[in-house]
Amino acid sequence: MTPLDLSAAAGAAVLAAEQKSAEVTDWAARIGWLVGLALFVALVYWLMREGWKWRGTLQGDLPELPATPDDPGPAKLEMSGRYHGSTTAGQWLDRIVAHGLGTRSRAELTLTDAGVDVVRPGAADFFIPVAALREARLDKGIAGKVLTEGGLLIVTWEHGGKLLDSGFRSDRAAEHNEWVETLNQMIQKVEETEKVHKKETEGAR
């Protein structure tokens, strides 16, 4: 073998070694990047979970949610859809997480003379008494969730001295208008009854 051949062979060996080294280096970099990404995702998840727990602690003064009465009466309206969360009334980003109100889920709504019964598979059910209802309207966002204009049924109600907005979306969005109309009629009727009762009480003094 001539000196030229030896030189070429040596060069080829060096090149192969460099390529192998580069491959090892690339794998190490990729593994390091993946580990770093996994740690970052875990950190973000942990921070979100701690923030959720902290918010729940701050809302610890919110009483337990009302339970459905034994005899709520016949159904006026029924709805199948999704529950998108609850917030402080008028503040669509101030999410309420206490007592499971922050958990988005499927929901079955039933409206009776007693109020709104919210049944949620896999999450805590709750009941909104008719006396606690304050307003019903259509909106497009709640608890960070944004839909099309009028895509959400928002029910404003009072619980523990605090006004809450709860957002629902029916599987058949055309039902929203009927719910808004019926709920507001019930609210108006309750308010009128309370006014009459107040006048009668004041007149009896």
Side-chain angles (χ1 to χ4, degrees):
M1 182 176 291
T2 65
L4 185 59
D5 292 334
L6 289 174
S7 178
V14 171
L15 181 60
E18 289 178 349
Q19 289 177 343
K20 185 175 181 180
S21 176
E23 290 176 0
V24 172
T25 302
D26 288 344
W27 274 110
R30 291 176 184 176
I31 293 173
W33 185 84
L34 289 174
V35 170
L37 180 61
L39 290 174
F40 175 75
V41 170
L43 176 62
V44 170
Y45 175 79
W46 180 82
L47 289 173
M48 290 175 62
R49 184 175 180 181
E50 289 301 305
W52 190 277
K53 290 167 61 178
W54 175 74
R55 181 175 287 270
T57 301
L58 290 180
Q59 298 167 357
D61 59 339
L62 198 67
E64 290 291 332
L65 300 176
T68 305
D70 294 333
D71 185 18
K76 290 177 171 290
L77 292 174
E78 293 180 327
M79 176 195 297
S80 294
R82 292 197 64 82
Y83 168 75
H84 284 284
S86 295
T87 66
T88 300
Q91 302 180 38
W92 76 291
L93 290 176
D94 188 16
R95 184 192 293 267
I96 302 296
V97 304
H99 308 304
L101 286 176
T103 304
R104 290 178 177 147
S105 62
R106 290 287 303 173
E108 301 288 334
L109 274 65
T110 303
L111 176 63
T112 66
D113 285 331
V116 182
D117 186 25
V118 184
V119 177
R120 300 192 295 157
D125 301 337
F126 62 96
F127 183 77
I128 306 176
V130 65
L133 293 169
R134 294 295 179 266
E135 181 191 16
R137 68 180 190 277
L138 298 182
D139 213 324
K140 64 179 180 180
I142 192 168
K145 180 70 174 180
V146 179
L147 299 171
T148 57
E149 189 69 39
L152 282 172
L153 166 66
I154 305 296
V155 178
T156 302
W157 55 295
E158 184 176 352
H159 181 57
K162 187 181 184 70
L163 283 180
L164 308 178
D165 281 343
S166 293
F168 305 92
R169 180 173 175 81
S170 172
D171 292 334
R172 297 177 292 276
E175 296 179 335
H176 290 171
N177 287 323
E178 186 178 9
W179 273 80
V180 169
E181 182 179 350
T182 304
L183 282 168
N184 284 328
Q185 287 176 352
M186 292 177 65
I187 292 167
Q188 184 178 4
K189 185 177 180 181
V190 170
E191 290 176 347
E192 290 174 351
T193 301
E194 289 179 348
K195 287 179 181 179
V196 171
H197 179 70
K198 184 177 181 181
K199 287 182 179 180
E200 292 176 346
T201 302
E202 291 176 348
R205 290 178 182 175

